[in-house]
Amino acid sequence: KNEVEQSPQNLTAQEGEFITINCSYSVGISALHWLQQHPGGGIVSLFMLSSGKKKHGRLIATINIQEKHSSLHITASHPRDSAVYICAVRAGNQFYFGTGTSLTVIP
Amino acid sequence: DGGITQSPKYLFRKEGQNVTLSCEQNLNHDAMYWYRQDPGQGLRLIYYSQIVNDFQKGDIAEGYSVSREKKESFPLTVTSAQKNPTAFYLCASSTSGTGNIQYFGAGTRLSVL
């Protein structure tokens, strides 16, 4: 069983749609990270959360510590948002990673 | 520009050969990490280092070795003992402390000839 589960695994959306990617985890965490991996492989950190909600441009990340759940929302999606989105949690000295959600936004 | 640099981008290994992947950062970060990514799997931690001259095994350290002689550098050697080395390798760094954001390099794709 993975400590971090993401859904959906794959997601295709039309440009302009509102997108939600979900992450559930089973361990006690000190922080949760949302990462973006582009087709070339490079990874960019989008958010680090320990409570509540954060917003950056069209991206919003929320976390519910009691329910051990986080969501990443993309408003007004654009083809350049196409990437793999990875949820990662820090528990003690360990990082646990989800397998990623592959998002394709069609013009 | 501050950042983390991995080289080479692509690497090929012959049977029985050791190869070394380079990771350099100029972010003045204390902590550095090596991950392996395989299709359909999350990143898995190979080794990490919280401070110079110290490093710890991650979940899948067998067949790999590292050194941390300088703060800026954390090279990973894939030894001949690693029987399935074909994967995408990512290096990351962060400031020390719980839960800090990790900054990733662009990755090295290793294939076996």
Side-chain angles (χ1 to χ4, degrees), chain B residues 30-82:
Chain B
D30 287 315
M32 296 186 75
Y33 312 81
W34 273 107
Y35 296 96
R36 171 180 170 139
Q37 187 178 38
D38 294 280
Q41 294 194 42
L43 277 69
R44 291 182 290 167
L45 183 64
I46 305 172
Y47 269 97
Y48 66 100
S49 168
Q50 303 277 40
I51 198 167
V52 175
N53 291 324
D54 186 52
F55 48 83
Q56 307 294 331
K57 291 183 179 180
D59 301 320
I60 53 164
E62 187 174 344
Y64 300 98
S65 66
V66 293
S67 62
R68 187 85 188 277
E69 296 175 4
K70 298 187 297 181
K71 189 175 186 178
E72 303 80 23
S73 179
F74 191 40
L76 173 75
T77 297
V78 184
T79 74
S80 56
Q82 172 49 247

Side-chain angles (χ1 to χ4, degrees), chain A residues 9 30-31 33 35 37 39-45 47-48 84 86 90 92-100, chain B residues 9 33 35 37 40-45 48 50 59 88 90 94 97-102 104-107 109:
Chain A
Q9 271 192 310
S30 55
H33 300 253
L35 310 172
Q37 185 170 31
I43 289 180
V44 173
S45 182
F47 293 104
M48 184 182 76
V84 175
I86 299 170
R90 175 106 180 217
N93 280 331
Q94 287 273 80
F95 268 97
Y96 299 96
F97 293 83
T99 55
Chain B
K9 192 167 183 178
Y33 312 81
Y35 296 96
Q37 187 178 38
Q41 294 194 42
L43 277 69
R44 291 182 290 167
L45 183 64
Y48 66 100
Q50 303 277 40
D59 301 320
F88 189 60
L90 284 155
S94 73
T98 303
N100 285 343
I101 291 176
Q102 294 192 2
F104 287 83
R109 193 165 298 278

Side-chain angles (χ1 to χ4, degrees), chain A residues 63-98:
Chain A
I63 187 168
N64 185 319
I65 297 293
Q66 286 74 28
E67 294 185 5
K68 295 190 173 178
H69 181 268
S70 175
S71 293
L72 176 68
H73 306 285
I74 305 176
T75 61
S77 59
H78 190 277
R80 65 174 174 265
D81 297 325
S82 298
V84 175
Y85 292 84
I86 299 170
C87 175
V89 300
R90 175 106 180 217
N93 280 331
Q94 287 273 80
F95 268 97
Y96 299 96
F97 293 83

